[in-house]
Amino acid sequence: MASDAETPKQETAPAASLSTIPQKRAIDEIHSPARPSPLNPDVKFADPPSQAEDDGQASRSKPSRMKKETLKKRESKGDSIPPTPDPKAAEKDVEQSESSPLRYKLAPPKPSDFDAPRGPVLTQHHEVIHSEGDTVEFFETSDHVANKKNFRYTQCIADPRFPSMFYYRQTESEPFGPRFTCEDAASHVFFDKSARIVTTDRGFRMARANVAVREGRWYWECKITQGVRPPPPGETKPEGGKHVRMGWARREASLDAPVGFDAYSYGIRDVAGEKVHMSRPKEFFPAGEGIREGDVIGLEIQLPSERLHRKIMAGQYHPAVDAADEPPPPTAEAPNIVRDRVPIRFKAHTYFEKIEYHTTRELEDLMNPSPSTAASANAHPPHPTHSTPALRTLPNSYIKVYKNGVLMGTPFENLLGFLPPASRPTAQVGAREGLDDGMLGYYPAISIFRGGAAEVNFGPNFWYPPPDFNATDAEAQSRKLRAVSERYAEQVAEDIVYDIIDEVDFWMQDGGNDLSTGGANAKAEAVNLAPGREEIKELVEDD
């Protein structure tokens, strides 16, 4: 079988012509070396290419790249080259309304944020036996924030009925009612359980009440439980060492100083019953009269209407036209209250943090005038039409002082105004000038010194009610003398209304969607899933 197979024949390659065989490539004359060398002795310098060849070569060559200038050079020329678009610009460029509070992107509240607020931790400090035989326990407060470092704090609570307002609204802890507040008191101030009796073992420390008056006539009492005592038998000099001052103070007044220390407070000294404003004591009580332990000092304040107050601060006050201070018509527009605040946590508490109003240069110069400003201050004292808002006074405003029910006189008149722009927030990120947060005003305030103690009575059952306190005549509400406790009830109602207004405002900014049961659940889910939300800030206790 193998022998029968034919052996394959080898095919011969076809003959190729000489022209088809690749030859050695000659050096292109255009690309010949510029100089002869041993390897290229026969160099022929070619003529430069023709214009047609240049055009053809240019058409085949790559286009040259345009050299870009640096960003710094373009900015120096002022060229308006748009930057790289920011994908989050749509979220950042939302214009903030001047009539609405600032809105923050926050994480959803924790379950503990819905619990009722708790008061500070009370640690017994000491006991005092008063001259009447009563024993009072004083406590040191802890685990709470304090109004300092240019911020102010009020308690808040998470409420599912406020989904648009990041779920938080204002609230208060026990003891309820008008009282002193540990957040708005200096350090080393000790309270009893009712927070209506205060003392200290240090130098002058101030405590402010939790209620502010803004217009009308108001009255409260202060009883000296530990203070200057009458002289012992056979002596003329009273027993000193423990002192108390009382009066009215604005939010800008320093807590580490007595009432009347600066231009933001008006006080009465127990020594000789002197009146004090801007650290300048002046005679007020009759000679030989003073404030002793057991005395009850009543303080009355009268302020014009907020409508007139705002006209003064806007520079629209005319004494001849506005002297009567008539009440506004029922259709008058209510003032805009804007509360820029953010919820924060401190230990087991939740607070609203807001930027505090700060002292102004004009009132500091008024208190301590320099040689260059003394002449101007004397030539232009504070008055309702002053060119500087902080130096504008309130016409028909005054403070009256009573001692054990007897009117001692009117130590202060034409009080300084407090509405913006007279009050300005601390200059920092997030601070907006010209806004009223609804808590500007004059607060009942007490300063105690080295064992001095005082008890307050905000009414309505006063120890020594003024003669016209229970007047039954048909007197206008703005002219009627009222207890500070009534103002506290009004303040609580205002806080509720302002919270509802803020909720409706934010709800409208969100499009006014239905917030029934299903809508609220959808809103809660949207809050939980929203990107870029920040956890509520946690404050750390100072060392």
Side-chain angles (χ1 to χ4, degrees):
M1 293 291 296
S3 61
D4 293 342
E6 296 182 357
T7 303
K9 298 179 181 180
Q10 184 176 2
E11 295 182 359
T12 59
S17 62
L18 186 62
S19 60
T20 60
I21 299 176
Q23 302 294 320
K24 183 179 180 181
R25 185 177 179 183
I27 297 178
D28 194 349
E29 293 181 355
I30 298 178
H31 301 286
S32 61
R35 295 182 180 181
S37 66
L39 298 177
N40 295 285
D42 302 328
V43 176
K44 297 179 180 181
F45 298 97
D47 297 331
S50 61
Q51 183 67 29
E53 293 177 351
D54 287 346
D55 296 342
Q57 184 69 20
S59 63
R60 292 190 300 270
S61 62
K62 293 176 62 177
S64 59
R65 293 180 59 185
M66 182 182 66
K67 185 178 180 181
K68 294 185 178 180
E69 296 177 340
T70 62
L71 176 61
K72 188 173 182 180
K73 192 170 184 179
R74 294 199 303 269
E75 290 179 348
S76 64
K77 290 183 178 181
D79 296 341
S80 57
I81 300 177
T84 304
D86 186 359
K88 297 183 179 180
E91 300 179 5
K92 297 180 181 178
D93 294 341
V94 177
E95 185 176 354
Q96 173 66 40
S97 173
E98 289 295 332
S99 61
S100 298
L102 293 177
R103 200 171 186 184
Y104 302 90
K105 295 178 59 178
L106 299 173
K110 295 180 179 180
S112 59
D113 294 344
F114 294 89
D115 297 337
R118 294 179 294 175
V121 176
L122 301 179
T123 304
Q124 185 176 6
H125 189 268
H126 67 281
E127 293 183 353
V128 172
I129 300 177
H130 290 168
S131 58
E132 300 175 355
D134 299 334
T135 301
V136 178
E137 288 183 313
F138 287 102
F139 298 86
E140 183 178 6
T141 61
S142 59
D143 289 358
H144 65 85
V145 295
N147 295 338
K148 59 181 181 179
K149 295 183 178 179
N150 304 324
F151 289 99
R152 184 177 182 85
Y153 300 93
T154 55
Q155 288 184 314
C156 66
I157 186 174
D159 192 333
R161 293 169 294 184
F162 292 81
S164 298
M165 200 173 68
F166 41 76
Y167 288 98
Y168 293 91
R169 62 170 175 82
Q170 190 157 320
T171 186
E172 199 169 79
S173 62
E174 294 182 341
F176 302 117
R179 56 175 173 81
F180 291 115
T181 168
C182 57
E183 291 86 6
D184 203 20
S187 58
H188 302 286
V189 171
F190 310 120
F191 304 80
D192 74 327
K193 288 187 176 180
S194 69
R196 293 188 177 93
I197 307 178
V198 292
T199 187
T200 186
D201 56 359
R202 304 294 179 91
F204 270 117
R205 299 289 191 274
M206 185 194 297
R208 272 190 295 255
N210 61 349
V211 55
V213 299
R214 296 162 61 91
E215 61 180 350
R217 295 176 63 200
W218 304 95
Y219 180 81
W220 66 285
E221 290 178 331
C222 171
K223 178 188 289 186
I224 312 301
T225 58
Q226 292 286 316
V228 179
R229 296 180 178 180
E235 298 185 10
T236 59
K237 186 177 180 181
E239 295 183 8
K242 303 176 181 179
H243 297 282
V244 178
R245 295 188 188 183
M246 65 293 298
W248 298 87
R250 289 164 53 178
R251 279 166 54 175
E252 299 95 327
S254 174
L255 294 173
D256 295 320
V259 184
F261 170 77
D262 47 30
Y264 302 96
S265 60
Y266 301 85
I268 300 296
R269 293 182 67 193
D270 54 359
V271 178
E274 295 176 322
K275 60 180 181 180
V276 187
H277 180 56
M278 296 191 294
S279 297
R280 293 171 174 81
K282 297 181 180 179
E283 294 182 358
F284 173 56
F285 276 23
E289 189 82 23
I291 300 176
R292 302 291 181 261
E293 188 174 294
D295 287 340
V296 175
I297 304 300
L299 296 112
E300 174 190 342
I301 191 172
Q302 174 173 291
L303 298 172
S305 65
E306 284 192 42
R307 175 174 171 269
L308 179 63
H309 195 158
R310 295 184 188 279
K311 293 185 69 174
I312 293 173
M313 292 304 159
Q316 302 172 354
Y317 171 72
H318 299 283
V321 178
D322 302 317
D325 192 11
E326 296 293 336
T331 57
E333 183 179 357
N336 186 33
I337 303 299
V338 180
R339 303 176 298 173
D340 290 338
R341 54 190 188 173
V342 60
I344 59 100
R345 292 192 184 96
F346 180 78
K347 297 187 176 181
H349 308 276
T350 309
Y351 295 91
F352 276 133
E353 180 184 74
K354 49 189 174 182
I355 298 174
E356 183 60 291
Y357 294 89
H358 200 262
T359 57
T360 60
R361 177 68 178 274
E362 294 83 3
L363 290 185
E364 290 180 358
D365 292 341
L366 180 67
M367 177 180 173
N368 299 310
S370 62
S372 59
T373 60
S376 176
N378 295 331
H380 304 283
H383 58 85
T385 58
H386 200 283
S387 59
T388 303
L391 298 177
R392 293 173 186 168
T393 58
L394 304 177
N396 302 322
S397 61
Y398 61 75
I399 293 176
K400 290 183 179 181
V401 176
Y402 300 79
K403 178 182 176 182
N404 300 328
V406 178
L407 177 63
M408 304 301 294
T410 306
F412 305 105
E413 294 180 314
N414 299 320
L415 312 180
L416 290 169
F418 52 82
L419 290 180
S423 295
R424 296 196 293 266
T426 306
Q428 57 180 298
V429 177
R432 298 193 293 171
E433 293 190 6
L435 300 180
D436 177 16
D437 65 358
M439 290 298 293
L440 286 168
Y442 281 99
Y443 291 74
I446 286 180
S447 297
I448 54 270
F449 179 86
R450 295 196 179 278
E455 180 181 0
V456 296
N457 184 356
F458 295 121
N461 300 317
F462 291 112
W463 295 306
Y464 295 95
D468 57 343
F469 176 67
N470 295 318
T472 57
D473 55 348
E475 191 174 12
Q477 189 74 2
S478 59
R479 303 290 187 269
K480 180 181 178 182
L481 184 60
R482 305 167 65 192
V484 170
S485 58
E486 294 185 48
R487 172 58 193 154
Y488 174 80
E490 291 182 355
Q491 186 172 283
V492 172
E494 291 172 358
D495 289 337
I496 296 173
V497 172
Y498 298 153
D499 283 338
I500 296 175
I501 292 175
D502 290 346
E503 170 65 19
V504 174
D505 186 4
F506 291 154
W507 171 73
M508 294 178 64
Q509 293 180 26
D510 293 339
N513 298 322
D514 181 21
L515 287 182
S516 57
T517 304
N521 294 335
K523 175 72 177 179
E525 293 178 3
V527 169
N528 294 338
L529 299 176
R533 308 193 73 85
E534 298 181 0
E535 182 60 51
I536 292 180
K537 182 175 67 174
E538 297 253 5
L539 290 187
V540 180
E541 189 172 9
D542 295 338
D543 295 334

